Amino acid sequence: KFTRKMELQPHAAPPLSAFLEGQHSATDTHAFIFHAIKRLMELDMARTVEDILLLPPVEMQRLVPLTQSQAVEFIRYMSEVLIDTCSRPVSCMILAADARVHQRLSLGDPVCDAMLHGGILPTGITEIVGESASGKTQLCVQLLLQVQLPPRLGGLGGNAIYFNTEGDTPVKRLHQMIDFYK
């Protein structure tokens, strides 16, 4: 099963100084949020909302005296600020003008490509899900190599990073497939 989530157009996240200068209303939030922002800025640990969201919660609690519930509320609030200020819906006209929308990454199999109307779109997120041992890892490794091919061979002439959070990385299979692509 493939699901698509359309990528939103990014805007600049508000700097944390905007919170302290009154551009964001104190009535919308709790005092501890402003204290936490000020403390993280004093320690030079964060300048933007993204910096805060990238801090591990344990590290944040160490730097700023927050209870666990306050830390959760702080992260939730900053996430909402980022979503509200950094994303907006994308019009069909903008999408139609974006060349990436018309490109497709071939799966390397004409039958699969036909089912996906030419392959996988390179924008947004494509989630690959399935039963255990159904070939998800195999497909990801194949796409990892396929994306690096030139467009004339069904690739995008791009780069790829493979993140594996479960078990061993399929290095042996990757080398077997690299030999096939040579």
Side-chain angles (χ1 to χ4, degrees), residues 121-157:
L121 290 170
T123 58
I125 297 171
T126 301
E127 183 177 1
I128 301 172
V129 297
E131 296 290 326
S132 177
S134 63
K136 299 178 299 292
T137 300
Q138 173 75 20
L139 177 60
C140 289
V141 171
Q142 184 168 338
L143 292 173
L144 177 80
L145 297 171
Q146 191 75 21
V147 74
Q148 298 177 62
L149 294 175
R152 64 183 170 74
L153 297 176
L156 298 175

Side-chain angles (χ1 to χ4, degrees), residues 71-127:
V72 169
E73 174 67 16
F74 182 49
I75 292 170
R76 184 198 57 77
Y77 178 78
M78 298 311 284
S79 297
E80 288 175 2
V81 167
L82 187 65
I83 290 168
D84 290 344
T85 59
C86 297
S87 300
R88 66 182 165 103
V90 180
S91 74
C92 293
M93 295 300 287
I94 291 172
L95 287 176
D98 189 347
R100 296 175 304 168
V101 171
H102 304 290
Q103 291 179 317
R104 301 284 180 145
L105 173 61
S106 170
L107 275 73
D109 177 45
V111 175
C112 291
D113 286 343
M115 290 187 330
L116 296 172
H117 305 286
I120 295 175
L121 290 170
T123 58
I125 297 171
T126 301
E127 183 177 1

Side-chain angles (χ1 to χ4, degrees), residues 2 12 38 44-45 51 64 77 121 139 176:
F2 291 87
K38 186 175 180 181
D44 200 29
M45 293 300 295
D51 293 340
V64 182
Y77 178 78
L121 290 170
L139 177 60
Q176 291 171 341

